[in-house]
Amino acid sequence: MKPTLFLLAAGMGSRYGGLKQLDGLGPNGETIMDYSIYDAIQAGFGKIVWVIRKDFEEQFRTQILAKYEGQVPCELCFQALDALPEGFSVPEGRVKPWGTNHAVLMGKDVIKEPFCVINCDDFYGRDAFMQIGKFLSNLPEGAKNQYAMVGFRVCNTLSENGSVARGVCAYNEKRHLTDVVERTEIMRINGTISYKDENGEWQPLEENVPVSMNMWGFTPDYFQYSEAYFKEFLSDPKNMENLKAEFFIPLMVNKLINDGTATCEVLDTTSVWFGVTYAADRDATVARIKKLVDEGVYPNKLF
């Protein structure tokens, strides 16, 4: 069974200042996610699923989905603030949904095969899709508890225009992930890559430390674990009192690998990330895509 590509597209892109998911950056108005989908199809993916906000469904169908008709099967699902397990309600004053793993949960009714989760506004590169596609395609039928993530070298994932959020990873001799810590501020300071720790202090980070760019490979059993753990997350008073608390993918993966339920292989890649974390990143991203088109890596018109 061909794997599915699951794109997280429900965020507004607060630092970028608009719907960057729909921003045309290629020579014919292609979005970053168009390049991800093109690469995924080349890597053997057979279906595309997006999680979006319901309020821009019409624009999304017109501007995005229409171009894929006849190319690859597509489906939508929706992330909403009040999409909570029975018995739970939205705390007063909360306005933001519950984070990346909450978004992943929205796909449980439409994804029944191994799947890769990505951000829709990150340019991951062909090799990254080849690595995760190969891993998922090679899983035996009915496989469970065998996950993967693509580990990018942190030096290849920075923005020149501000800090970035990355999951900093460690793995064992089998290349199985042993820990992933979400660092919400990473940047180069006076030539050294650094992250801000829990005390607000800047700490150095080695150039080649693998980081998560939210490119994960899962099997459908992951949804069941996520549903159960989300209830635990919501039952913790501090997560309900903190109106910005988020149910991150690394939080879920950490639990599963630490309690021995699952393994998560860290896949190496030669790909270099780029994207539009900030509005100032846009011109450089347009230029990099044009260079790849000029070099023949991508056709002038994707779809």
Side-chain angles (χ1 to χ4, degrees), residues 115-303:
F115 63 101
C116 171
V117 177
I118 65 168
N119 298 330
C120 66
D121 49 7
D122 287 310
F123 192 103
Y124 292 97
R126 180 81 47 80
D127 183 69
F129 285 98
M130 290 294 183
Q131 298 302 327
I132 195 77
K134 180 180 178 182
F135 175 89
L136 294 172
S137 297
N138 287 343
L139 288 173
E141 187 173 349
K144 295 182 177 181
N145 306 328
Q146 298 175 56
Y147 309 146
M149 60 154 284
V150 178
F152 288 72
R153 295 175 180 180
V154 66
C155 62
N156 291 334
T157 71
L158 303 178
S159 168
E160 295 179 358
N161 297 297
S163 65
V164 295
R166 304 285 182 255
V168 178
C169 304
Y171 58 85
N172 63 19
E173 68 281 355
K174 296 180 180 178
R175 290 197 67 88
H176 288 170
L177 187 69
T178 56
D179 190 38
V180 54
V181 179
E182 191 76 12
R183 298 298 183 186
T184 56
E185 291 187 67
I186 299 176
M187 62 191 303
R188 197 177 289 278
I189 301 175
N190 298 324
T192 300
I193 300 174
S194 304
Y195 69 89
K196 188 176 285 187
D197 67 15
E198 294 81 355
N199 300 316
E201 301 290 330
W202 288 99
Q203 304 293 343
L205 203 56
E206 290 184 11
E207 296 274 322
N208 292 326
V209 166
V211 296
S212 166
M213 295 301 305
N214 245 15
M215 192 175 204
W216 301 91
F218 298 122
T219 45
D221 50 289
Y222 184 80
F223 293 122
Q224 299 165 352
Y225 298 131
S226 295
E227 281 189 301
Y229 195 43
F230 191 37
K231 293 176 183 177
E232 288 187 40
F233 179 90
L234 295 171
S235 297
D236 187 334
K238 75 174 186 293
N239 290 328
M240 297 300 271
E241 292 166 6
N242 177 3
L243 300 180
K244 294 185 177 181
E246 294 194 50
F247 186 44
F248 287 123
I249 293 172
L251 182 70
M252 183 73 248
V253 172
N254 260 347
K255 174 179 168 52
L256 293 175
I257 62 176
N258 287 334
D259 65 18
T261 301
T263 59
C264 182
E265 185 174 339
V266 180
L267 306 176
D268 190 26
T269 181
T270 58
S271 291
V272 177
W273 169 91
F274 59 90
V276 283
T277 304
Y278 300 93
D281 294 331
R282 189 182 189 281
D283 288 348
T285 296
V286 169
R288 292 178 80 165
I289 290 174
K290 183 180 185 302
K291 185 173 185 289
L292 289 169
V293 171
D294 291 344
E295 292 172 348
V297 178
Y298 297 100
N300 189 62
K301 186 173 176 61
L302 289 182
F303 297 104

